[in-house]
Amino acid sequence: MGLVAVFFLLYQTGSKRDGVRARMAEIWRASWGPDKGPGAKRVALPADFAHLLDNVGGGAPIGVFELVPKEAWLGIYRPALLDGNDHITVFMRLYEPGPAMRVAPLPFTDEGRVPNLGIRFTKDPEFTARFQVEGAGDREIKQWLSPPVREELLELEDAFLEVEGKRAALSLYTRLDEEALDALVAAADVIFAEYGASDASLFGSDLPSYRTPPPQAKAARPIAPKPAADKRPKPRA
């Protein structure tokens, strides 16, 4: 089989697969947000996220959906002609720069997971056993990876987290389906609640986020009783 024929078969196979992924992405986009709402808006990923996109796998976008205006996006990517990976990633703006870091699942070998050569969380042995954390500033990174954030990463199992200045990306390299998209956005919502540029939820602007406290009814101000009238007879002059 000639080289041209091989490229043609690969193109045909990829096109059919991309069509399935595009339909799945559109179903999720239309169902996102409040009931009977317009769904998530299709946009382009902002240019200042280009370096972070390259770090998490690059590729060509099947769809980029705005979750919070100008602050959070869900990107669904396929390999480009010469490079890139299949991945789904939530990109987020942070309210202040975070410590530069990369969190990745420890790969498996025939003998189990490889040794962890990154930052160790002595008080969270389960997290240390499953994720390698790399970056400068152990103390700052440990503080940033709070218990709720570590819990969400453990729940996703195969998630990758990148933090770069006031930008962050949470990625999965997995089969594209509704369950994976929902799980990724739910985990990113917790991170955005802790460090995001606003209090908005990634599931819709009119929904409360993880960190937005529920509104409390104002207590009624007690009404002071009127002073009782003095009914004693007044002394005669």
Side-chain angles (χ1 to χ4, degrees), residues 49 66 68-73 91-93 192 196-200:
F49 280 84
E66 190 174 61
V68 177
K70 300 181 180 180
E71 294 177 359
W73 304 263
F91 299 92
M92 299 166 277
R93 292 198 188 278
F192 194 76
S198 74
D199 287 334

Side-chain angles (χ1 to χ4, degrees), residues 25-204:
E26 176 57 25
I27 291 171
W28 190 92
R29 183 207 67 78
S31 65
W32 173 89
D35 290 341
K36 300 181 181 179
K41 182 180 178 182
R42 282 185 177 269
V43 296
L45 188 68
D48 60 319
F49 280 84
H51 185 260
L52 196 56
L53 172 60
D54 287 341
N55 286 350
V56 301
I62 291 175
V64 177
F65 309 131
E66 190 174 61
L67 305 179
V68 177
K70 300 181 180 180
E71 294 177 359
W73 304 263
L74 169 66
I76 302 171
Y77 289 83
R78 62 174 176 80
L81 183 61
L82 299 176
D83 59 6
N85 296 309
D86 285 319
H87 63 95
I88 54 177
T89 299
V90 174
F91 299 92
M92 299 166 277
R93 292 198 188 278
L94 310 179
Y95 73 90
E96 65 180 10
M101 74 177 87
R102 183 175 189 269
V103 183
L106 286 165
F108 275 102
T109 66
D110 293 338
E111 299 177 355
R113 292 188 185 270
V114 302
N116 192 337
L117 303 178
I119 299 171
R120 305 180 71 84
F121 291 72
T122 55
K123 295 183 179 180
D124 194 341
E126 182 182 5
F127 185 80
T128 297
R130 290 171 54 182
F131 286 92
Q132 179 161 302
V133 180
E134 299 174 328
D138 292 20
R139 181 177 179 182
E140 292 78 8
I141 289 174
K142 288 181 178 181
Q143 289 178 345
W144 205 94
L145 291 173
S146 63
V149 173
R150 297 199 304 270
E151 183 179 344
E152 290 301 318
L153 292 173
L154 287 168
E155 192 73 24
L156 277 178
E157 295 186 356
D158 295 324
F160 290 73
L161 174 65
E162 296 252 359
V163 178
E164 181 183 88
K166 296 182 72 173
R167 291 171 290 273
L170 183 67
S171 304
L172 283 176
Y173 303 84
T174 184
R175 177 181 175 182
L176 177 63
D177 57 34
E178 185 177 1
E179 183 178 354
L181 291 169
D182 285 344
L184 178 67
V185 174
D189 191 48
V190 174
I191 298 173
F192 194 76
E194 293 256 356
Y195 304 111
S198 74
D199 287 334
S201 168
L202 300 191
F203 287 100

